[in-house]
Amino acid sequence: MAQAKINAKANEGRFCRSSSMADRSSRLLESLDQLELRVEALREAATAVEQEKEILLEMIHSIQNSQDMRQISDGEREELNLTANRLMGRTLTVEVSVETIRNPQQQESLKHATRIIDEVVSKFLDDLGNAKSHLMSLYSACSSEVPPGPVDQKFQSIVIGCALEDQKKIKRRLETLLRNIENSDKAIKLLEHSKGAGSKTLQQNAEGKFN
């Protein structure tokens, strides 16, 4: 009888300890789950800062190379460029880095995708029109919507092999390149229009002198 009581108390003690450990483990797991949410929120916030930095640099660069900058006086242009360079310098002081965890296959896919885009960019000066078409097909390969033009199937399979964060970065880079090309096209057309209008004015003035 006495032995039975001892065994009962021992079992009760083991049960209490086991219950206490389970509760403690549950609390720790809950804390880690909450921390995981905060970690992901931190990464998303840092990624947003990265994107904002890219957008700001692109906008400053776009202003410096805009047609409006070509149509103001040299003194005003110099002053505005000083301001733009100051803003660019301050933007570049912001250093944010969000590392993406990749397995070896994802790392290789990223290198391959980056190499393809770099090769297209290197051909900008030789054939801007063809490079733009190629970039459009690469961008269509990254789009979840129905693309308006052809899709580079090979590039699409490479991008699918990349980490999800890298897929988003690849798409953003292609968007930026296409916007830069579009802005370049507009600047060239405006310049040609300006030259054409100037030539026409000169011709009219010349004809007026002879008449």
Side-chain angles (χ1 to χ4, degrees):
M1 186 72 175
Q3 184 64 38
K5 289 183 178 179
I6 293 173
N7 290 339
K9 285 188 176 182
N11 289 333
E12 184 180 349
R14 281 198 297 270
F15 176 76
C16 290
R17 285 196 299 273
S18 177
S19 176
S20 177
M21 289 175 63
D23 291 341
R24 189 176 295 114
S25 176
S26 178
R27 289 197 301 271
L28 290 171
L29 180 59
E30 184 179 350
S31 296
L32 288 173
D33 287 341
Q34 292 174 353
L35 286 172
E36 183 175 14
L37 294 175
R38 293 179 63 179
V39 167
E40 290 308 310
L42 172 65
R43 287 179 61 84
E44 289 177 5
T47 300
V49 173
E50 269 189 330
Q51 293 176 18
E52 179 65 8
K53 179 181 178 181
E54 292 173 4
I55 291 170
L56 287 171
L57 291 173
E58 182 186 347
M59 291 176 69
I60 295 169
H61 183 74
S62 177
I63 289 174
Q64 286 183 305
N65 292 279
S66 67
Q67 184 66 16
D68 288 338
M69 285 287 277
R70 298 187 181 94
Q71 295 178 340
I72 58 178
S73 67
D74 291 342
E76 290 173 324
R77 188 184 307 111
E78 183 179 359
E79 185 176 346
L80 290 173
N81 272 322
L82 285 173
T83 301
N85 288 333
R86 177 176 61 80
L87 292 174
M88 186 171 292
R90 286 179 62 80
T91 305
L92 290 172
T93 62
V94 178
E95 292 290 342
V96 182
S97 178
V98 181
E99 297 295 330
T100 301
I101 300 173
R102 310 178 184 92
N103 59 38
Q105 181 183 354
Q106 291 171 333
Q107 184 71 35
E108 191 60 33
S109 294
L110 177 62
K111 288 181 180 179
H112 197 175
T114 302
R115 186 164 59 248
I116 290 174
I117 297 174
D118 289 343
E119 287 174 357
V120 177
V121 171
S122 68
K123 298 175 182 176
F124 274 7
L125 294 177
D126 297 330
D127 191 348
L128 185 61
N130 188 51
K132 181 180 179 180
S133 298
H134 197 169
L135 279 180
M136 283 296 297
S137 68
L138 297 183
Y139 178 74
S140 296
C142 301
S143 179
S144 58
E145 301 175 356
V146 178
V151 176
D152 190 315
Q153 301 289 345
K154 180 181 177 182
F155 185 74
Q156 187 175 57
S157 64
I158 294 170
V159 172
I160 290 174
C162 296
L164 183 59
E165 291 179 359
D166 288 329
Q167 292 180 25
K168 295 177 180 178
K169 289 181 179 179
I170 290 169
K171 185 178 180 181
R172 286 205 309 272
R173 184 187 177 192
L174 290 169
E175 287 174 345
T176 300
L177 289 170
L178 287 169
R179 277 199 304 271
N180 289 340
I181 290 178
E182 188 66 26
N183 291 334
S184 298
D185 283 344
K186 288 179 180 178
I188 291 171
K189 288 176 182 177
L190 285 170
L191 186 61
E192 289 175 346
H193 177 73
S194 177
K195 286 181 178 179
S199 299
K200 187 175 181 180
T201 301
L202 288 173
Q203 184 179 357
Q204 288 174 345
N205 290 338
E207 288 175 352
K209 288 179 180 180
F210 284 109
N211 292 335

